[in-house]
Amino acid sequence: KQEGVSFEGVILSNAQFECTIYAFGAHVASWRSLSDLEVFKTKPEFLFVSKKAILDGTKPIRGGIPICFPQFGKLGECTNQHGFARNATWEFVGSEVDEEKVLAKATFTLSSTEKTMKEFPYKFKLNYTVSIEKEFLNTKLEVINEDEKAFEFTTALHTYFGAKSITDIAVKGLNGVRYTDSLEDGKKCVEGEEEIRFDKEVDRIYRRNVALVDKERLEIIDRVWEDKGVLSQHTRGVAMTTKNLNDAVVWNPWIDKAKSMGDFGDEEYKEMVCVEAAAIDEPVKVKPGASWIGEQTLEAVINLAHFSV
Ligand code: TA6
């Protein structure tokens, strides 16, 4: 239990990182470095949570890693966009620590109820496992069909990445990938930039080629700085790899959308970007008794690029 937060949570820590997960939404709300390395000490938190986030269970937490299930956005029959999973209190199943592997893991579960059946008329069970190992954070969602009928769903791990400043944020790894622009009625486009940068509202669903995905790493660079006088450039950020989450949503609300959200500061668009591992383009189909697993692995990275003079 934390001061000012009305739901319980679990704090996982290994020698290098600490991760906070709340039972409400099985919501990862923090993933921060414990290292005293300057580049981590000055900004230990890798995720973004709004200072105005509602933490009383009446609204999904604005930030961290909201779980969108059984639908992404409005792609389904749920009353609330992004579905009900992030608005529900999950059951904490247990945690384990493996000192050798510097691993800490927690599992949460959520089963269908009469209430969920009204919106998503199928019996299901979700198991969500969050694990930190060295500088990695892995979040794995298992969807089990406990019904006699097959069902399909769309899903996203709606991750909010933090940054010192919007001018430092760059999203790499989507060059050449086709996307639909949610701000232009789903207009079909192809990404032409090596690094996606932000100077306006962006809301895009990148539909990655399945064959490419398991090799592909996205990088969210949140900080670039140069040593005094030395011609070198450090970048600090997060690398993302996924399994069975072949799409990637990229979102920054920018000024007007920021002002329209009561649980988001007017200026906070300058400190974050959402890059969301998702299964949207091809809804996931699960047969009775079968299950599906979607996974996202985040790695805290520092790159030191020496420019050749
Ligand atoms: O993932 C992008 C998006 O679908 C945006 O269109 C915006 O609505 C964002 O999600 C936040 O949605 P929320 O329901 O959390 O306010």
Side-chain angles (χ1 to χ4, degrees), residues 62 72-73 81-82 86 158 160 203 249 251 257 261 276:
R62 175 68 63 194
F72 176 81
Q81 80 160 353
H82 296 328
R86 63 178 185 162
H158 197 297
Y160 287 69
D203 195 350
V249 181
W251 177 58
K257 186 68 71 65
M261 296 187 284
E276 308 156 38

Side-chain angles (χ1 to χ4, degrees), residues 52-70:
K52 298 176 74 177
I54 310 286
L55 299 174
D56 63 7
T58 57
K59 191 170 164 32
I61 299 166
R62 175 68 63 194
I65 308 179
I67 300 171
C68 302
F69 178 88

Side-chain angles (χ1 to χ4, degrees), residues 161 216-218 220 238-242 275-277 296-298:
F161 293 94
E216 210 169 62
R217 256 163 75 105
L218 299 188
I220 299 94
V238 178
M240 175 194 284
T241 50
T242 63
V275 179
E276 308 156 38
Q296 159 182 285
T297 300
L298 303 180

